Amino acid sequence: MTDRLEQQFAFLREVEKLKSVTRATPIHDASRPENSAEHSWTLALYALVLADQAAPGVDALRAVKMLLIHDIVEIDVGDVPIHSAGGTAHSSADIQAAELTAATRIFSLLPKDMADEFQALWEEFEAAETPTAIYAKSLDRAQPVLLNHQSGGGSWIDYDVTWDQLETRVGSKIARGLPGVWDWVKTRIRPWFADRGL
Amino acid sequence: MTDRLEQQFAFLREVEKLKSVTRATPIHDASRPENSAEHSWTLALYALVLADQAAPGVDALRAVKMLLIHDIVEIDVGDVPIHSAGGTAHSSADIQAAELTAATRIFSLLPKDMADEFQALWEEFEAAETPTAIYAKSLDRAQPVLLNHQSGGGSWIDYDVTWDQLETRVGSKIARGLPGVWDWVKTRIRPWFADRGL
């Protein structure tokens, strides 16, 4: 198993770098930006804890695996904030192409069978067509909203986000996989925007 | 499901605080200390990636769940470095009692069925008697060793750790669940200590 171990540890050593990728959302006490490694940890916990809110056909443990690896491409590409460039940068063709190249480079560090499995998981997440990927994507949209709210506004302030923009860019994506969760979240965060005339 | 959602989000909001608990190990480029949330992410990935190195009877996905929650008690208790107080503080009765109190407080934020499940998972991990818990514990010892090595020495320097101390405090625990992994790790890191006469 030594050759496999070499490859497994080459990958595990490389992904340590995700701890240096910062996001637009601050952590709970607004003391610093969140990084993509700890964000991924939170999302894996979200997938476990909210499993009974998921639609039929969702495999919550598969979603955990997806969410553990979903941002690894940012080691090469960086995080593209959802509200940057008027909300358009996140899903641009350039970014998507760069992320695919990064996924292939990083997952290829693993033994071939695991590289194929992780690449397929990542592509399933990105495509957001299976129930499990839709669930995982909804969680990935929900957590930053709650963390922005917890920290006092976070990237909503930095990017002058209005309530309509939040509903369009984020709320609709949460509601796609988790309509009950979006209803709950909406009730809690709507006043933050209303209080500021946004 | 609204009452459940309240409880699920109370827990998910509380655990965000784990991002503020710093560890003795620096991140890959030695630019700052690792925190316990991103450490937990790395370990969940370790559990996935090294699953084929595990002993018979190990449930790797159960280990992922264990490792996602294993350090949540540190929100109340803080991280106790493995090499602090001559290697004795980590498993002291005082710390263990404080961690049990913390586990009960934090997991009790969840709906009762999930609180019971998470508490049982955490206690299984702490007891380190089942194959899955032994596997998870071995990973929890292996990752800081490799991260210290990657960052140039890390907490080995801060705590004047010798090779014999590392073998006793850490190596034996890695070898318990993953003897092949410890053999591989030992070969890579032994020179760091030998070069320094440690």
Side-chain angles (χ1 to χ4, degrees):
Chain A
M1 301 294 267
T2 305
D3 283 354
R4 280 185 76 84
L5 261 186
E6 284 293 344
Q7 293 172 295
Q8 287 161 331
F9 279 121
F11 173 80
L12 291 171
R13 182 182 170 94
E14 180 68 17
V15 300
E16 289 284 355
K17 297 177 186 168
L18 194 60
K19 297 170 187 174
S20 294
V21 175
T22 52
R23 295 171 41 82
T25 318
I27 65 166
H28 60 99
D29 59 1
S31 59
R32 62 169 175 83
E34 192 188 32
N35 70 64
S36 294
E38 61 196 358
H39 163 70
S40 300
W41 168 75
T42 321
L43 285 179
L45 264 183
Y46 264 63
L48 285 184
V49 168
L50 297 173
D52 60 9
Q53 309 285 344
V58 169
D59 177 342
L61 283 179
R62 188 172 169 81
V64 168
K65 292 169 73 170
M66 248 178 221
L67 289 163
L68 288 173
I69 62 164
H70 82 293
D71 270 348
I72 281 176
V73 295
E74 295 179 0
I75 290 170
D76 289 354
V77 181
D79 178 61
V80 181
I82 196 109
H83 297 296
S84 63
T88 63
H90 194 79
S91 54
S92 77
D94 282 358
I95 295 290
Q96 289 188 346
E99 288 186 344
L100 181 59
T101 302
T104 305
R105 178 187 78 74
I106 299 166
F107 295 139
S108 296
L109 295 169
L110 286 164
K112 179 74 168 64
D113 57 315
M114 302 188 78
D116 290 347
E117 186 200 341
F118 279 29
Q119 182 92 22
L121 265 176
W122 181 79
E123 291 181 7
E124 182 183 340
F125 174 80
E126 285 297 305
E129 286 165 4
T130 64
T132 299
I134 291 169
Y135 174 61
K137 280 271 182 189
S138 291
L139 298 172
D140 189 29
R141 292 294 176 271
Q143 184 261 352
V145 167
L146 288 160
L147 194 51
N148 267 340
H149 192 250
Q150 187 171 356
S151 68
S155 66
W156 299 332
I157 299 170
D158 299 334
Y159 289 100
D160 298 317
V161 178
T162 66
W163 175 252
D164 283 352
Q165 288 169 341
L166 190 78
E167 277 214 298
T168 306
R169 294 175 193 164
V170 180
S172 62
K173 308 262 170 77
I174 301 173
R176 188 173 172 221
L178 291 163
V181 166
W182 175 237
D183 282 346
W184 188 92
V185 170
K186 195 161 50 173
T187 309
R188 268 86 198 154
I189 64 168
R190 184 72 187 88
W192 188 93
F193 291 86
D195 289 350
R196 288 160 182 80
L198 299 169
Chain B
M1 299 294 268
T2 304
D3 284 354
R4 280 185 75 84
L5 262 185
E6 282 295 342
Q7 294 173 295
Q8 287 161 332
F9 279 121
F11 173 80
L12 291 170
R13 181 182 171 95
E14 179 68 16
V15 301
E16 289 284 354
K17 298 176 185 168
L18 195 59
K19 296 170 186 173
S20 293
V21 176
T22 52
R23 294 172 42 83
T25 318
I27 66 165
H28 61 98
D29 60 0
S31 59
R32 62 168 175 83
E34 192 188 32
N35 70 64
S36 294
E38 61 196 357
H39 163 71
S40 300
W41 168 76
T42 321
L43 285 179
L45 264 183
Y46 265 63
L48 285 183
V49 167
L50 297 173
D52 60 9
Q53 310 285 345
V58 169
D59 178 341
L61 283 178
R62 188 170 170 82
V64 167
K65 292 169 74 170
M66 250 178 218
L67 289 164
L68 288 172
I69 63 164
H70 82 293
D71 271 347
I72 281 175
V73 294
E74 296 179 0
I75 290 169
D76 290 354
V77 181
D79 178 61
V80 182
I82 195 110
H83 298 295
S84 63
T88 62
H90 193 80
S91 53
S92 77
D94 282 358
I95 295 291
Q96 289 188 347
E99 288 186 345
L100 181 59
T101 301
T104 305
R105 179 187 77 75
I106 299 166
F107 295 138
S108 295
L109 296 168
L110 287 164
K112 179 73 170 66
D113 57 315
M114 302 189 77
D116 290 347
E117 186 201 340
F118 279 29
Q119 182 93 22
L121 265 176
W122 181 80
E123 291 182 6
E124 182 184 339
F125 174 80
E126 284 296 305
E129 285 164 4
T130 64
T132 299
I134 292 169
Y135 174 61
K137 279 271 183 189
S138 291
L139 298 173
D140 190 29
R141 292 294 176 271
Q143 184 260 353
V145 168
L146 288 160
L147 193 51
N148 267 341
H149 192 250
Q150 186 172 357
S151 67
S155 66
W156 299 333
I157 299 170
D158 299 334
Y159 289 100
D160 298 318
V161 178
T162 66
W163 176 252
D164 282 352
Q165 288 169 342
L166 190 78
E167 278 214 298
T168 305
R169 293 175 194 165
V170 180
S172 62
K173 308 264 171 76
I174 301 173
R176 188 175 172 220
L178 291 164
V181 166
W182 175 236
D183 283 346
W184 187 92
V185 170
K186 194 160 52 172
T187 308
R188 268 86 197 155
I189 64 168
R190 184 71 187 87
W192 188 93
F193 291 87
D195 289 350
R196 288 159 182 80
L198 299 169

